[in-house]
Amino acid sequence: MRANNLLIYNRAMSEFHALVPAAGFGARMGNELPKQYLPLAGQPLIFHALHTLCASAEIATVFVVLAPEDTLFHSYDWSRFGDKLQPLFCGGATRAESVLNGLLASELEPDDWVLVHDAARPCLTQAHLAKLIAELRDDEVGGILAVPVADTLKRADAEGRILHTENREQLWQAQTPQMFRAGLLAQALQQCSSVTDEASAVEALGLRPKLVLSESGNFKVTYPQDLLLAELLLNQQGIRT
Ligand code: C5P
């Protein structure tokens, strides 16, 4: 993809693509196997996100960004996804670097939409994916799935004691997919690489991504007990096989 020419959009021709960064190790899971390959409902964790994205008729390609030294991906059978699933072995040291490397390797047009989705969010539903696309396809900036914060939030000091209670009004918890035009997102990540999600990089350009209401079920598997909850939810949704 050409990173110059970024803001010239040809809306009629824009396509939707997904990009799944999966080059991390998931240190908080305390496991030797990288998080994306931990077993969940009879499949590696990443399978569930890829299945949902590949099953969407609106999404043309699903890029998965893997570590250059990843030897596990090809030990699984991905043939059911056909050419729609495109592995890219160009992951970087951080999530932001992996996304940027993937965007540059993907050869998308600057005006194509890209939906960046965590490998570790297996319970994304088709309904929320469709809602995100429907609410943002004519948007100037793009946006993200998110939920209003439900818990009371405490700011801690270095000793783990409460400094003060944050006002949670109008606070949202960011999820994925995060949907932006490929050119804009590459430009944002090139200018601001110290971010933990794509929206932060776009915000740093002075733009205001839209929050699209999601649900708590689209959570990120972070700790070992999260796998149990994810399996329960997938069972309820009807496991993808
Ligand atoms: O570690 P965390 O759960 O925040 O990672 C979120 C997503 O970013 C995961 O899908 C992970 O594989 C990916 N990631 C990546 N490259 C890195 C670090 C994380 O693709 N260097």
Side-chain angles (χ1 to χ4, degrees):
M1 188 187 63
R2 285 160 283 118
N4 49 359
N5 220 357
L6 293 174
L7 295 169
I8 306 166
Y9 298 145
N10 180 357
R11 283 158 204 280
M13 300 286 289
S14 303
E15 292 183 346
F16 299 92
H17 303 269
L19 188 148
V20 178
F25 292 96
R28 286 170 289 187
M29 293 297 286
N31 209 298
E32 296 243 316
L33 199 60
K35 180 166 68 174
Q36 56 271 27
Y37 298 119
L38 291 178
L40 172 62
Q43 295 286 354
L45 174 60
I46 189 175
F47 169 91
H48 302 281
L50 297 179
H51 189 281
T52 302
L53 295 165
C54 284
S56 165
E58 291 186 280
I59 294 178
T61 322
V62 178
F63 298 99
V64 51
V65 182
L66 301 155
E69 62 277 13
D70 186 309
T71 52
L72 288 167
F73 186 79
H74 283 310
S75 66
Y76 299 95
D77 178 13
W78 304 105
S79 56
R80 77 188 75 200
F81 301 134
D83 287 348
K84 188 160 176 174
L85 182 64
Q86 296 282 332
L88 300 169
F89 290 84
C90 61
T94 62
R95 176 214 164 90
E97 215 178 290
S98 295
V99 172
L100 179 58
N101 290 353
L103 279 175
L104 296 176
S106 69
E107 300 190 344
L108 294 179
E109 293 298 320
D111 55 333
D112 283 338
W113 285 108
V114 62
L115 287 82
V116 179
H117 185 56
D118 289 331
R121 290 186 193 269
C123 302
L124 172 70
T125 63
Q126 283 300 334
H128 282 96
L129 183 54
K131 181 181 182 200
L132 181 74
I133 293 174
E135 285 201 26
L136 296 178
R137 62 190 315 147
D138 295 320
D139 198 87
E140 287 296 316
V141 178
I144 70 173
L145 284 184
V147 285
V149 165
D151 294 322
T152 301
L153 296 177
K154 305 294 185 187
R155 174 79 52 189
D157 65 13
E159 279 84 49
R161 289 189 168 273
I162 297 171
L163 268 179
H164 60 259
T165 300
E166 299 285 348
N167 180 358
R168 73 175 182 211
E169 240 175 84
Q170 293 185 310
L171 273 189
W172 290 61
Q173 203 175 331
Q175 297 182 342
T176 70
Q178 303 208 346
M179 174 171 155
F180 296 100
R181 292 192 184 266
L184 173 72
L185 184 55
Q187 181 190 30
L189 289 169
Q190 274 162 341
Q191 289 181 21
C192 187
S193 57
S194 59
V195 289
T196 51
D197 75 345
E198 292 61 53
S200 308
V202 173
E203 291 157 43
L205 294 178
L207 299 171
R208 294 171 58 203
K210 186 172 180 187
L211 294 163
V212 176
L213 182 63
S214 178
E215 61 180 2
S216 57
N218 182 29
F219 68 93
K220 184 168 70 172
V221 170
T222 306
Y223 303 106
Q225 64 270 27
D226 296 340
L227 284 168
L228 285 175
L229 180 57
E231 184 142 357
L232 279 173
L233 283 175
L234 288 173
N235 272 316
Q236 205 182 45
Q237 291 172 8
I239 289 183
R240 303 113 159 139
T241 51

